[in-house]
Amino acid sequence: MSKVIFVTGAGRGLGTDIVREALAAGHNVVATGRRPEEIEKTLGGPQDNLLVTKLDVTRLDDAEAAAQAAVDRFGRIDVLVNNAGNFFAGYFEEITPAQMRQQIETNLFGPMNVTRAILPIMRRQRAGHIITLSSSAGIIGQEFCVAYAASKFGVEGWMESLRYDVEPYNIHTTVVEPGFFRTELLVDASTTWPEPTIDDYAERTAATVAAWKSMNGQQSGDPAKLARALLAIADQEKPLLRFVAGADAIEGVKAKAQELLDQAEASRELGGDLAHDDPNA
């Protein structure tokens, strides 16, 4: 059945793939980004089932205007795909407070802004599906990723809790945790590389930046396949709450789950009887 699918960050990478796959499947698509003219050109020009509109996810007024444009054109919004994001790489001490705030502003408050604008529409419909791109870095802390992981761990907690807020209105949520895909996250337009400022980190920073830049375009994950998988989830009667995407992500998440179980057991041995302490002792 044809749906109205609203996609953020449609200008490049996975966002473009999601829009193309959705259009090919016969859906009506709202493709959003900061440069709508470039998005429309990338997608091959105007199309009957495509609305391209401006959206900077850090601006709530942009999100509200884009949501209203979608309803004016198609009458409803069935699926929101929160895809827009960026990456501030580097070691914690070399990431400035302003950069940390920018990272969280885009990757956490950005999808919150768009969801805040679209939820009233879905509640009126008593139907909808919110899909938000997190990352395996939202489950597993990694070297050189403190800002990105902080933003994505925030996404995980927000989405996991949002589920309970919106379930009574027949609105589903899915958080997506991809591993390494060829999504253009590592291109300079999406990534802010650190400027070495501390001698202790300089050698590791140079080596890590070189290694990650060389990996761009060589990641094992196919973004077109990921886009098709997201559309399949959007068609599920009871969509997955969490989609761990890619063999590397699945193995990493399984290892993290085992680590948590092990730490819980170690905690039990150390302080499992803390709740039984006598407060009057």
Side-chain angles (χ1 to χ4, degrees):
M1 184 178 72
S2 176
K3 299 178 183 290
V4 179
I5 301 178
F6 188 109
V7 182
T8 70
R12 61 176 178 270
L14 179 61
T16 302
D17 286 305
I18 294 169
V19 171
R20 285 176 173 153
E21 294 292 339
L23 291 171
H27 297 294
N28 294 314
V29 181
V30 184
T32 72
R34 290 177 296 172
R35 301 174 184 84
E37 299 83 4
E38 293 181 16
I39 295 173
E40 189 168 81
K41 183 178 178 180
T42 298
L43 295 171
Q47 301 172 49
D48 291 341
N49 58 337
L50 172 65
L51 170 65
V52 179
T53 189
K54 181 181 182 297
L55 171 56
D56 177 342
V57 297
T58 66
R59 297 180 57 89
L60 181 58
D61 55 347
D62 269 16
E64 291 171 341
Q68 186 59 54
V71 172
D72 291 345
R73 174 72 174 270
F74 297 121
R76 59 187 295 116
I77 299 172
D78 298 301
V79 181
L80 164 60
V81 182
N82 283 312
N83 166 72
N86 59 13
F87 177 30
F88 281 81
Y91 295 107
F92 175 67
E93 287 187 275
E94 294 193 314
I95 293 174
T96 68
Q99 288 174 327
M100 184 68 78
R101 289 179 184 277
Q102 282 182 267
Q103 180 74 100
I104 293 174
E105 190 71 40
T106 299
N107 287 2
L108 178 56
F109 287 111
M112 284 183 173
N113 284 337
V114 182
T115 302
R116 192 180 297 280
I118 287 177
L119 265 179
I121 297 164
M122 291 184 171
R123 280 192 293 102
R124 286 196 296 270
Q125 297 168 176
R126 287 300 193 262
H129 188 179
I130 300 162
I131 300 174
T132 299
L133 271 292
S134 177
S135 168
S136 58
I139 295 286
I140 307 159
Q142 301 174 35
E143 182 181 4
F144 217 62
C145 289
V146 288
Y148 187 70
S151 69
K152 293 301 187 179
F153 267 72
V155 164
E156 295 279 338
W158 166 58
M159 284 291 290
E160 193 167 300
S161 301
L162 180 65
R163 164 195 175 188
Y164 299 101
D165 292 7
V166 300
E167 270 185 336
Y169 314 112
N170 194 34
I171 300 171
H172 303 288
T173 64
T174 299
V175 61
V176 183
E177 297 149 353
F180 284 104
F181 280 77
R182 298 184 296 277
T183 60
E184 299 188 32
L185 181 63
L186 296 179
V187 300
D188 290 345
S190 297
T191 296
T192 299
W193 301 105
E195 292 291 336
T197 58
I198 299 173
D199 288 345
D200 274 346
Y201 295 112
E203 185 175 343
R204 293 165 67 196
T205 292
T208 305
V209 169
W212 282 22
K213 284 188 174 184
S214 70
M215 186 173 61
N216 183 51
Q218 307 301 316
Q219 300 97 318
S220 59
D222 182 345
K225 288 183 179 179
L226 177 55
R228 289 193 289 273
L230 297 184
L231 293 176
I233 291 170
D235 276 338
Q236 291 178 324
E237 185 175 344
K238 188 176 181 181
L240 288 174
L241 295 170
R242 175 174 272 105
F243 175 40
V244 185
D248 58 333
I250 290 171
E251 291 306 310
V253 169
K254 287 171 64 178
K256 177 63 178 281
Q258 186 59 57
E259 179 187 353
L260 289 173
L261 289 172
D262 293 343
Q263 292 292 308
E265 288 305 315
S267 299
R268 187 199 306 277
E269 294 175 12
L270 179 64
D273 62 346
L274 293 177
H276 303 292
D277 285 350
D278 183 354
N280 298 315

